[in-house]
Structure formats: structure tokens, C-alpha cells
Amino acid sequence: FNQLTHSAVSRDIPIKISSYRTSHGAEVDLIVELNSQTWAIEVKCSKNIGPHDLRGMKSFEKYYGKPFEKIIAYTGEIKKVIEDVTVYPWQDLLKEMGL
């Protein structure tokens, strides 16, 4: 959150950040609106990411109903895709977002 906010503000890029959580516990850590795009970002302090980490993203997709980028930021070093979610090393995600 702090890195996203700081990077956007330092470049005068408007950014809106919120989160998503249901009463059943499904959640997405960051919903970022940036440069006319919406990014749903799950942040994991782990190098092991799997299909079990997609629960919140699937719930948000049903709720939101519009196109958005599905992202997991993690501490690993390799960009990969699990189902339709792109998994980025967190530093690479900031570059991908233009921050």
C-alpha cells in the first residue's frame, strides 16, 4: 500500500485504493484504480502460490462484474499465471503498473 501510494504521488498520478471483503471471509487486499484500469491485487508474503490463493479473487470477480486485472504480488522471483491470475514478484508488479 505504502509503495503504491508513494510511487503514484511522486509521479503526480491519480490513484484510488480500497479493499474487498465479504461477510464469509473472501477478500482481496488492494483494489487499485490507476490510469483508467482496475487492478485487484492479493499480496502474499510467500514464495509458494497456488490455486488455493485465488478464493478472494473469484469472489471479487462475481461481485465486480467488469473487466479488471487479476494479480497476486508475492516474494518469489518468477512471473507466472495460475488459472487467469497473473502472479508477479512484487517489484515487477510496480513496474508493470507504471510505478
Side-chain angles (χ1 to χ4, degrees):
F1 175 84
N2 289 339
Q3 187 66 48
L4 287 170
T5 303
H6 175 75
S7 294
V9 169
S10 69
R11 291 173 176 79
D12 289 326
I13 300 171
I15 189 170
K16 181 179 175 185
I17 302 175
S18 58
S19 61
Y20 169 80
R21 182 173 172 85
T22 69
S23 59
H24 299 290
E27 66 180 3
V28 176
D29 296 320
L30 303 169
I31 308 300
V32 179
E33 296 174 58
L34 176 73
N35 296 327
S36 303
Q37 277 188 287
T38 300
W39 305 69
I41 304 171
E42 185 66 26
V43 180
K44 298 292 185 186
C45 187
S46 174
K47 292 184 178 186
N48 299 310
I49 304 299
H52 61 278
D53 294 305
L54 307 181
R55 179 176 171 242
M57 199 68 66
K58 289 177 182 181
S59 175
F60 180 71
E61 183 174 30
K62 289 177 187 173
Y63 166 79
Y64 193 59
K66 296 184 265 183
F68 65 96
E69 299 293 326
K70 301 172 197 164
I71 306 295
I72 294 178
Y74 80 129
T75 58
E77 300 174 3
I78 299 169
K79 177 183 170 185
K80 55 187 172 180
V81 176
I82 301 173
E83 296 181 24
D84 61 345
V85 178
T86 306
V87 181
Y88 285 95
W90 71 269
Q91 301 94 330
D92 294 349
L93 175 58
L94 295 174
K95 292 174 190 171
E96 180 71 21
M97 295 176 80
L99 300 173

